[in-house]
Short mmCIF file of all heavy atoms in Angstrom, two decimals:
data_model
loop_
_atom_site.label_atom_id
_atom_site.label_comp_id
_atom_site.label_asym_id
_atom_site.label_seq_id
_atom_site.Cartn_x
_atom_site.Cartn_y
_atom_site.Cartn_z
N ALA A 1220 61.23 109.20 128.22
CA ALA A 1220 59.98 109.27 127.57
C ALA A 1220 59.36 108.03 127.30
O ALA A 1220 58.29 107.65 127.55
CB ALA A 1220 60.04 110.21 126.30
N ALA A 1221 60.21 107.04 126.83
CA ALA A 1221 59.81 105.62 126.63
C ALA A 1221 59.42 104.94 127.83
O ALA A 1221 58.36 104.18 127.90
CB ALA A 1221 60.95 104.91 125.82
N ALA A 1222 60.18 105.17 128.84
CA ALA A 1222 59.80 104.56 130.16
C ALA A 1222 58.57 105.07 130.77
O ALA A 1222 57.65 104.27 131.14
CB ALA A 1222 60.96 104.75 131.13
N ARG A 1223 58.28 106.41 130.57
CA ARG A 1223 57.01 106.92 131.05
C ARG A 1223 55.82 106.34 130.14
O ARG A 1223 54.82 106.03 130.65
CB ARG A 1223 57.04 108.32 130.93
CG ARG A 1223 55.54 108.87 131.40
CD ARG A 1223 55.32 110.34 131.41
NE ARG A 1223 53.90 110.62 131.69
CZ ARG A 1223 53.58 111.78 132.11
NH1 ARG A 1223 54.39 112.72 132.27
NH2 ARG A 1223 52.36 111.97 132.34
N GLY A 1224 56.06 106.17 128.90
CA GLY A 1224 55.02 105.67 128.03
C GLY A 1224 54.74 104.25 128.36
O GLY A 1224 53.58 103.78 128.29
N HIS A 1225 55.70 103.52 128.77
CA HIS A 1225 55.57 102.19 129.16
C HIS A 1225 54.61 102.02 130.38
O HIS A 1225 53.72 101.14 130.51
CB HIS A 1225 56.92 101.38 129.34
CG HIS A 1225 56.66 99.93 129.46
ND1 HIS A 1225 57.85 99.14 129.63
CD2 HIS A 1225 55.73 99.07 129.53
CE1 HIS A 1225 57.49 97.89 129.74
NE2 HIS A 1225 56.09 97.80 129.68
N VAL A 1226 54.92 102.82 131.22
CA VAL A 1226 54.09 102.86 132.64
C VAL A 1226 52.56 103.31 132.13
O VAL A 1226 51.59 102.63 132.67
CB VAL A 1226 54.66 104.02 133.59
CG1 VAL A 1226 53.63 104.22 134.73
CG2 VAL A 1226 55.94 103.58 134.02
N ASP A 1227 52.52 104.35 131.27
CA ASP A 1227 51.19 104.69 130.84
C ASP A 1227 50.36 103.50 130.14
O ASP A 1227 49.18 103.33 130.34
CB ASP A 1227 51.13 105.98 130.06
CG ASP A 1227 51.64 107.16 130.83
OD1 ASP A 1227 51.55 107.21 132.03
OD2 ASP A 1227 52.10 108.10 130.25
N GLN A 1228 51.11 102.82 129.38
CA GLN A 1228 50.52 101.73 128.69
C GLN A 1228 50.03 100.62 129.73
O GLN A 1228 48.90 100.05 129.55
CB GLN A 1228 51.49 100.99 127.80
CG GLN A 1228 51.74 101.76 126.44
CD GLN A 1228 52.73 101.25 125.64
OE1 GLN A 1228 53.63 100.55 126.11
NE2 GLN A 1228 52.58 101.39 124.25
N ILE A 1229 50.90 100.24 130.75
CA ILE A 1229 50.42 99.31 131.64
C ILE A 1229 49.31 99.90 132.49
O ILE A 1229 48.28 99.01 132.83
CB ILE A 1229 51.67 99.07 132.59
CG1 ILE A 1229 52.88 98.40 131.82
CG2 ILE A 1229 51.23 98.17 133.85
CD1 ILE A 1229 54.10 98.44 132.62
N ILE A 1230 49.23 101.02 132.81
CA ILE A 1230 48.11 101.54 133.54
C ILE A 1230 46.88 101.49 132.72
O ILE A 1230 45.80 101.09 133.28
CB ILE A 1230 48.28 103.03 133.88
CG1 ILE A 1230 49.45 103.14 135.01
CG2 ILE A 1230 47.00 103.68 134.43
CD1 ILE A 1230 49.95 104.52 135.38
N ALA A 1231 46.94 101.77 131.46
CA ALA A 1231 45.85 101.67 130.52
C ALA A 1231 45.21 100.31 130.42
O ALA A 1231 44.11 100.07 130.53
CB ALA A 1231 46.14 102.27 129.09
N LEU A 1232 46.17 99.29 130.23
CA LEU A 1232 45.79 97.91 130.28
C LEU A 1232 45.05 97.48 131.51
O LEU A 1232 44.12 96.75 131.54
CB LEU A 1232 46.98 96.98 129.83
CG LEU A 1232 47.50 97.13 128.52
CD1 LEU A 1232 48.82 96.32 128.40
CD2 LEU A 1232 46.47 96.53 127.51
N ALA A 1233 45.73 97.89 132.66
CA ALA A 1233 45.15 97.60 133.88
C ALA A 1233 43.68 98.12 134.19
O ALA A 1233 42.88 97.54 134.76
CB ALA A 1233 45.99 98.10 135.05
N LEU A 1234 43.38 99.30 133.56
CA LEU A 1234 42.16 99.94 133.75
C LEU A 1234 41.02 99.42 132.83
O LEU A 1234 39.91 99.92 133.05
CB LEU A 1234 42.40 101.46 133.68
CG LEU A 1234 43.07 102.12 134.78
CD1 LEU A 1234 43.37 103.70 134.52
CD2 LEU A 1234 42.35 102.11 136.13
N GLU A 1235 41.36 98.61 131.89
CA GLU A 1235 40.46 98.16 131.00
C GLU A 1235 39.11 97.52 131.65
O GLU A 1235 38.03 97.55 131.27
CB GLU A 1235 41.05 97.17 129.99
CG GLU A 1235 41.79 97.86 128.88
CD GLU A 1235 42.37 96.98 127.88
OE1 GLU A 1235 42.38 95.78 128.05
OE2 GLU A 1235 42.92 97.38 126.88
N ASP A 1236 39.56 96.75 132.70
CA ASP A 1236 38.35 96.10 133.50
C ASP A 1236 37.73 97.04 134.61
O ASP A 1236 36.95 96.56 135.31
CB ASP A 1236 38.83 94.75 134.07
CG ASP A 1236 39.94 94.87 134.99
OD1 ASP A 1236 40.41 96.08 135.28
OD2 ASP A 1236 40.28 93.77 135.45
N GLY A 1237 38.32 98.22 134.71
CA GLY A 1237 37.69 99.13 135.67
C GLY A 1237 38.34 99.29 137.00
O GLY A 1237 38.02 100.03 137.90
N PHE A 1238 39.31 98.33 137.28
CA PHE A 1238 40.00 98.44 138.59
C PHE A 1238 41.50 97.79 138.46
O PHE A 1238 41.66 97.27 137.41
CB PHE A 1238 39.32 97.70 139.75
CG PHE A 1238 39.22 96.22 139.58
CD1 PHE A 1238 40.06 95.39 140.08
CD2 PHE A 1238 38.18 95.52 138.76
CE1 PHE A 1238 40.03 93.88 140.01
CE2 PHE A 1238 38.15 94.22 138.54
CZ PHE A 1238 39.10 93.31 139.21
N ILE A 1239 42.31 98.11 139.34
CA ILE A 1239 43.66 97.69 139.36
C ILE A 1239 43.80 96.57 140.44
O ILE A 1239 43.63 96.94 141.63
CB ILE A 1239 44.69 98.72 139.51
CG1 ILE A 1239 44.52 99.74 138.39
CG2 ILE A 1239 46.11 98.33 139.57
CD1 ILE A 1239 45.39 100.99 138.45
N ASP A 1240 44.16 95.34 140.18
CA ASP A 1240 44.33 94.27 141.09
C ASP A 1240 45.77 94.37 141.63
O ASP A 1240 46.48 95.23 141.16
CB ASP A 1240 44.10 92.96 140.63
CG ASP A 1240 44.94 92.36 139.46
OD1 ASP A 1240 46.05 92.80 139.49
OD2 ASP A 1240 44.46 91.63 138.64
N GLU A 1241 46.05 93.58 142.67
CA GLU A 1241 47.37 93.61 143.31
C GLU A 1241 48.50 93.39 142.42
O GLU A 1241 49.54 94.04 142.46
CB GLU A 1241 47.42 92.55 144.47
CG GLU A 1241 48.61 92.83 145.46
CD GLU A 1241 48.53 91.84 146.55
OE1 GLU A 1241 47.47 91.52 147.09
OE2 GLU A 1241 49.57 91.27 146.94
N SER A 1242 48.44 92.42 141.53
CA SER A 1242 49.54 92.08 140.62
C SER A 1242 49.63 93.17 139.55
O SER A 1242 50.84 93.52 139.22
CB SER A 1242 49.34 90.78 139.90
OG SER A 1242 48.21 90.84 138.94
N GLU A 1243 48.73 93.81 139.05
CA GLU A 1243 48.78 94.99 138.17
C GLU A 1243 49.41 96.18 138.89
O GLU A 1243 50.23 96.89 138.34
CB GLU A 1243 47.36 95.44 137.74
CG GLU A 1243 46.74 94.37 136.73
CD GLU A 1243 45.28 94.63 136.34
OE1 GLU A 1243 44.62 95.16 137.30
OE2 GLU A 1243 44.87 94.29 135.30
N ALA A 1244 49.06 96.42 140.21
CA ALA A 1244 49.58 97.58 140.91
C ALA A 1244 51.16 97.25 141.15
O ALA A 1244 51.90 98.34 141.00
CB ALA A 1244 48.94 97.65 142.30
N GLU A 1245 51.52 96.08 141.39
CA GLU A 1245 52.90 95.71 141.58
C GLU A 1245 53.76 96.07 140.33
O GLU A 1245 54.72 96.56 140.25
CB GLU A 1245 53.04 94.32 141.89
CG GLU A 1245 54.40 93.88 142.56
CD GLU A 1245 54.48 92.49 143.05
OE1 GLU A 1245 53.60 92.24 143.94
OE2 GLU A 1245 55.12 91.71 142.51
N GLU A 1246 53.10 95.60 139.13
CA GLU A 1246 53.80 95.79 137.88
C GLU A 1246 53.90 97.28 137.62
O GLU A 1246 54.95 97.75 137.13
CB GLU A 1246 52.98 95.09 136.73
CG GLU A 1246 53.72 95.25 135.45
CD GLU A 1246 52.97 94.54 134.29
OE1 GLU A 1246 51.75 94.17 134.41
OE2 GLU A 1246 53.66 94.22 133.18
N ILE A 1247 52.83 98.09 137.90
CA ILE A 1247 52.82 99.59 137.70
C ILE A 1247 53.96 100.17 138.49
O ILE A 1247 54.76 100.96 137.99
CB ILE A 1247 51.49 100.14 138.04
CG1 ILE A 1247 50.48 99.69 136.88
CG2 ILE A 1247 51.52 101.64 138.07
CD1 ILE A 1247 49.07 100.08 137.31
N GLU A 1248 53.99 99.80 139.80
CA GLU A 1248 55.04 100.26 140.60
C GLU A 1248 56.55 100.03 140.10
O GLU A 1248 57.29 100.88 140.14
CB GLU A 1248 54.93 99.74 142.03
CG GLU A 1248 55.90 100.31 143.06
CD GLU A 1248 55.85 101.61 143.34
OE1 GLU A 1248 54.71 102.21 143.18
OE2 GLU A 1248 56.85 102.19 143.76
N ILE A 1249 56.71 98.76 139.67
CA ILE A 1249 58.10 98.40 139.16
C ILE A 1249 58.49 99.34 137.98
O ILE A 1249 59.63 99.79 137.93
CB ILE A 1249 57.97 96.93 138.72
CG1 ILE A 1249 58.01 95.97 139.85
CG2 ILE A 1249 59.26 96.68 137.83
CD1 ILE A 1249 57.65 94.48 139.50
N TYR A 1250 57.57 99.46 136.97
CA TYR A 1250 57.86 100.28 135.83
C TYR A 1250 57.94 101.80 136.18
O TYR A 1250 58.61 102.51 135.60
CB TYR A 1250 56.98 99.98 134.65
CG TYR A 1250 57.36 98.52 134.10
CD1 TYR A 1250 56.66 97.52 134.39
CD2 TYR A 1250 58.50 98.45 133.33
CE1 TYR A 1250 57.09 96.21 134.01
CE2 TYR A 1250 58.89 97.23 132.84
CZ TYR A 1250 58.17 96.14 133.16
OH TYR A 1250 58.72 94.85 132.78
N HIS A 1251 57.06 102.15 137.09
CA HIS A 1251 57.09 103.62 137.59
C HIS A 1251 58.50 103.85 138.23
O HIS A 1251 59.12 104.91 137.95
CB HIS A 1251 56.01 103.91 138.52
CG HIS A 1251 56.07 105.20 139.24
ND1 HIS A 1251 55.96 106.44 138.51
CD2 HIS A 1251 56.32 105.66 140.55
CE1 HIS A 1251 56.05 107.54 139.21
NE2 HIS A 1251 56.32 106.93 140.46
N ARG A 1252 58.87 103.03 139.01
CA ARG A 1252 60.19 103.22 139.60
C ARG A 1252 61.30 103.30 138.56
O ARG A 1252 62.21 104.10 138.68
CB ARG A 1252 60.71 102.03 140.73
CG ARG A 1252 59.76 102.06 141.99
CD ARG A 1252 60.08 100.80 142.84
NE ARG A 1252 61.49 100.91 143.24
CZ ARG A 1252 61.84 101.48 144.40
NH1 ARG A 1252 60.93 102.20 145.14
NH2 ARG A 1252 63.04 101.49 144.75
N ARG A 1253 61.35 102.33 137.52
CA ARG A 1253 62.21 102.50 136.43
C ARG A 1253 62.16 103.83 135.72
O ARG A 1253 63.15 104.43 135.35
CB ARG A 1253 61.98 101.39 135.45
CG ARG A 1253 62.42 100.00 136.04
CD ARG A 1253 62.25 98.95 135.21
NE ARG A 1253 62.40 97.59 135.75
CZ ARG A 1253 62.17 96.49 135.12
NH1 ARG A 1253 61.73 96.35 133.89
NH2 ARG A 1253 62.49 95.34 135.76
#
């Protein structure tokens, strides 16, 4: 549950500016895999 919450937090931060750039997508993928 904590790992999913971390992924959700990263996604929320990435979406603050309205889009997800390449480095944000990479970070999301890393934590999603975890």
Side-chain angles (χ1 to χ4, degrees):
R1223 178 178 177 163
H1225 193 178
V1226 173
D1227 292 342
Q1228 287 177 329
I1229 293 168
I1230 291 171
L1232 287 172
L1234 290 174
E1235 284 180 353
D1236 60 2
F1238 68 97
I1239 297 175
D1240 66 29
E1241 191 175 319
S1242 67
E1243 291 169 329
E1245 196 173 299
E1246 183 180 20
I1247 290 167
E1248 181 64 26
I1249 288 167
Y1250 287 100
H1251 171 65
R1252 289 175 67 84
R1253 289 180 186 174

